[in-house]
Structures are given as structure tokens and as C-alpha cells.
Amino acid sequence: YKIDTSTVCNATCITCGSDSSSAWAQLERKNGFAAKKTWQIRKETLPSGIDYSNAKTIGFRGGEPLLSDANFAILEKLLKNNNSDCFISFTTNGSLRPTKQQQHILDHFKNVNFCFSIDGVGPVFEYLRYPLSWETLVSNMIYVRAHGIHASVSYTLSNLNSWYHHETVQWFREMNLDYIVNPVYSPEYFSPSVLPESVKQLIAAEPGNTELVHLLTHSDQDDVKFLKFIENVNRQDSWKGIQLGDYLPAFAKALNFK
């Protein structure tokens, strides 16, 4: 099972929106945009159709799944049905660690994974997943590992972080983290290919970036979408009160970004 019980979230990740994040909904409404309505399933009205006795795998997504009481109510139902063997996975932004009560529930399961959404190291992470803290994420990863929870990574690859791909993957390997790469296809203007051809050539030529070459082809449509990219980045920076160049200076310089 893959389960979404809420769009409640504390992050405004740059490739996301109000359809998946309540923080994004607040940001959009504050700036005069029509935001999607935030929703959450109450623990009293859990999704039907879950075979709690025989479930093999349950993956919780979001929103931020650690902010959903319903997710832990589902885990409690598994335990009431003597199913502590079910593999449990949370796709989390890493900003939170389980509460004492949540940790008590998790301790009963034999195989738990926290899949951290990490798109870069240090300031790259903090820009793409604003306003989250890199230091907090690393601390929370150390915490879950100390509590017998496996840590892995879901790595969203866009045109914003492809410049830093090699150092990102190197950090995953140094931390002994399994990871999957998810290239951005929507919104289209954040796809890896939507960059000036000269910048893509620099990225492709960087040692360790050979696996990106097939994502860095170029067409005239990329140039059109790049204008939309610039427009969107400027708008988000203005809304959030930040600047691309303060977080990703080398990339901003390559783009002559102002």
C-alpha cells in the first residue's frame, strides 16, 4: 500500500505546490494566488480496504507524514492484528523526528525505513526545500539510525541541482545511503534539460556526471521553458524573501542570474 493521509506540510519545496503542501497553500494565498485546499484524513476515519493482518508493505507519503496522526493510527491497527512484520516506510522531508509516542509505535515493527527527501548538500538543500534546515535533517537522520530505522534517500533531480549532482551523490555514498533519482518532468520548466545549452555542456563535462548526459539534451523548446524557469524562480525568491545566488552561487553565476 502507498498511502497519503494529508497534505499538511511545513516546507515550500521549490518544485512543489499547494496540491501537496499546506505551507505552499499559505504562501500562495498570502501572495494572491488561488491555492488548493489543504486536507487530512482523521484517525477516526481511516482509509478502507487495508488488510491489516496480511499487509506486506505500507509506504506513507504526504504532505509530511510525521505530521499525520492517521498514519500512526494505521500502524496501531497493524499491531492489533499481530502484523509487526509489515515493512513500513515514511517518505519524509527530514525536518522532524518521531515523537516519543510515535517512536514507541515504530519500535514494535521489525523493518522500518525513513526515506529522506534530499536534493543537495547544505545550502543547496536549504534553497530547494526552503525553509528547512540541513543541520536538522542530518541530526534527525542520525537519530533514526540510532533507533534501528533504516535511512534511504529520494533524490529529486531538477535543473536547479544538476550543477551540484556529483557532490550530492558523493555525500550519499559517504553516508552509506541507498538512493533513488527522480528526474523532474512536471513542472516542465524545472526539468533538467531546461537550461542554456552552454550550461548543460559544463554540467555534462564534470567528472561523475556521466549518468546525467541523457537528461541534458537540448531543443528550442528548452530555451522557451527556460524563460518560464527564470520567471518562476524570481517569483518564489520574492515570496520567500531569499535569493538564488545566496544559496547556489556557482550555479547563479553560470546563469548570469540577477
Side-chain angles (χ1 to χ4, degrees), residues 6 22 27 36 46 60 62 101 107 109 113 128 160 171-172 174 184 214 218 222 238 244 247:
S6 169
S22 58
L27 190 63
K36 298 288 180 63
L46 297 178
F60 296 107
Q101 178 60 25
D107 286 342
F109 289 90
N113 174 65
L128 271 68
L160 282 155
W171 187 84
F172 295 159
E174 289 172 355
V184 173
H214 72 287
H218 194 79
D222 291 329
S238 175
L244 175 72
Y247 292 80

Side-chain angles (χ1 to χ4, degrees), residues 3 13 24 32 38 42 51 65 67 92 97 130-131 133 153 162 166 172 187-188 191 220 242 249 253:
I3 299 176
C13 304
W24 249 113
T38 299
R42 298 172 59 85
D51 185 347
L67 291 172
T92 174
R97 63 179 58 178
Y130 185 84
S133 160
V153 171
S162 56
H166 178 63
F172 295 159
E188 287 186 328
S191 295
D220 292 341
I242 60 177
K253 183 178 179 181

